[in-house]
Amino acid sequence: YHLILLCKNATGYQNLIKMVTLASSEGFYGKPRVDHELLSKYHEGLVCLSACLAGEIPQALLNDDIEKAEETAMFYKTLFGEDFYIELQDHGIEEQRTILPALIRLAKKLNIELVATNDCHYIEKSDSKMQHAMVCVQTNKHMDDPNPLEFETEEFYVKSTDEMYDLFAYIPAACANTAKVAEKCNFDYEFGKTKLPKYENPMGISNKDFFVKMCYEGLEKRYPVITKELTDRLEYEISVITKMGFVDYYLIVYDFINYAKSHDIPVGPGRGSGAASLCAYCIGITNIDPMKYNLIFERFLNPE
């Protein structure tokens, strides 16, 4: 089923990415999936909407299973409290209009707020033709072929406030709640600060010392004769990597590359600008000699 989760704050964002990660690593079945158990554990800081026709509650109503719809709605209400909303959508689709009265009755009976939403797949209504063309390209169909993946109407665009109030004129409170939900969500990304997982080296020394140690040990393994050109280049790279805060980044990449190589998982020789790094070559991330091919480190990291 579909379910909408929106971040109210930093806690909600952390919980959302935790669920997304676990959905892929533990709940993967055809696609990443989250279950009620995960939601129960990581619901704090999130606003929950019951979703479109593919949602758990709408699907129960389409199957005339009122008991299941009520039971599911109560689960989400108990979990999210006032941050759970029954979602109303109207794109001119018959099934949606069939269950709208049932959704409203359900919300009233269980004392759950309603919220009016519109699925947006393009900006203007006139963009629907371009959307149709794109779906045909994606699914290898002709424009005049019947396509089960195509939208039934031209209503999947970003509607104005007035359009939404006109569409749901019989229940304006649902539109007012759309703004209330938006006001609840006050999470801002912090830009300009690099955030990496913490790497813990096995020697218990500082990560910089561990990195430098590995670089010099690798230099001796890779090159039979250590020239001044090699040590100058290595020292320069280490100074730039340290100054720009990339020591842990190198160690994390080394960690998963090393794991892959020691567990018979294929690893390429390196690609892109990263292959120009002598440090990466020395610690085994890449397998292309940047000195032999005169590769320029500044393409990867440049203090300027």
Side-chain angles (χ1 to χ4, degrees):
Y1 303 107
H2 291 192
L3 190 71
I4 306 299
L5 297 177
L6 306 170
C7 303
K8 284 171 68 177
N9 48 39
T11 301
Y13 179 67
Q14 293 291 336
N15 279 331
L16 188 63
I17 57 174
K18 185 75 178 174
M19 281 193 280
V20 168
T21 301
L22 291 169
S24 293
S25 59
E26 295 178 7
F28 195 89
Y29 183 78
K31 60 178 77 171
R33 294 167 195 266
V34 166
D35 58 17
H36 284 186
E37 186 185 346
L38 262 189
L39 283 168
S40 298
K41 193 171 180 183
Y42 297 108
H43 64 276
E44 192 184 341
L46 294 167
V47 174
C48 177
L49 314 184
S50 61
C52 57
L53 278 173
E56 208 170 347
I57 295 167
Q59 283 295 306
L61 292 174
L62 283 170
N63 292 322
D64 290 325
D65 194 342
I66 308 296
E67 191 180 329
K68 169 76 171 168
E70 288 185 6
E71 181 188 310
T72 306
M74 280 308 297
F75 166 78
Y76 288 114
K77 184 187 177 183
T78 304
L79 199 58
F80 291 95
E82 291 182 355
D83 289 327
F84 174 60
Y85 295 81
I86 300 278
E87 200 168 342
L88 303 181
Q89 291 190 343
D90 187 352
H91 304 91
I93 296 170
E94 189 182 338
E95 287 179 315
Q96 283 179 337
R97 289 182 170 169
T98 300
I99 64 164
L100 276 170
L103 285 168
I104 295 167
R105 284 195 301 271
L106 180 70
K108 192 173 181 180
K109 181 179 178 181
L110 302 179
N111 197 26
I112 297 169
E113 292 281 345
L114 293 160
V115 65
T117 70
N118 200 78
D119 263 351
C120 303
H121 288 265
Y122 37 90
I123 306 296
E124 308 285 348
K125 190 170 187 172
S126 58
D127 293 336
S128 63
K129 293 180 179 62
M130 283 184 276
Q131 171 77 15
H132 173 60
M134 284 177 63
V135 172
C136 287
V137 170
Q138 189 179 9
T139 55
N140 200 24
K141 302 269 185 186
H142 289 280
M143 295 281 283
D144 51 359
D145 284 349
N147 190 343
L149 297 175
E150 193 53 89
F151 296 115
E152 295 176 46
T153 68
E154 298 178 343
E155 300 299 316
F156 291 82
Y157 65 97
V158 182
K159 292 182 177 169
S160 69
T161 304
D162 288 344
E163 283 177 300
M164 290 299 283
Y165 270 98
D166 287 345
L167 190 59
F168 294 99
Y170 56 92
I171 189 141
C175 291
N177 280 340
T178 310
K180 285 180 185 173
V181 169
E183 285 163 10
K184 280 185 177 183
C185 299
N186 293 301
F187 172 66
D188 286 321
Y189 288 92
E190 184 182 16
F191 291 102
K193 186 176 178 184
T194 304
K195 296 181 181 181
L196 291 170
K198 182 172 171 54
Y199 178 82
E200 292 182 7
N201 72 74
M203 298 185 72
I205 57 179
S206 77
N207 280 354
K208 187 200 168 182
D209 290 346
F210 181 68
F211 175 64
V212 171
K213 184 176 186 301
M214 283 210 305
C215 285
Y216 273 97
E217 285 176 356
L219 192 71
E220 291 179 7
K221 286 179 190 168
R222 291 288 198 181
Y223 298 97
V225 179
I226 309 296
T227 63
K228 187 175 185 304
E229 182 190 15
L230 283 169
T231 53
D232 285 352
R233 169 71 173 255
L234 195 70
E235 280 298 325
Y236 168 69
E237 285 196 19
I238 289 169
S239 72
V240 172
I241 291 162
T242 305
K243 204 177 294 176
M244 293 181 69
F246 274 78
V247 169
D248 276 23
Y249 172 76
Y250 267 77
L251 292 175
I252 289 163
V253 177
Y254 152 77
D255 197 35
F256 64 72
I257 295 290
N258 183 54
Y259 178 90
K261 286 179 176 177
S262 60
H263 287 77
D264 295 323
I265 298 168
V267 177
R271 57 173 290 281
S273 58
S277 170
L278 178 61
C279 288
Y281 181 60
C282 287
I283 67 176
I285 290 174
T286 57
N287 206 28
I288 297 162
D289 184 348
M291 305 301 281
K292 179 180 176 182
Y293 296 104
N294 196 27
L295 302 181
I296 301 165
F297 173 67
E298 285 79 6
R299 280 194 62 229
F300 180 58
L301 280 184
N302 191 331
E304 301 304 319

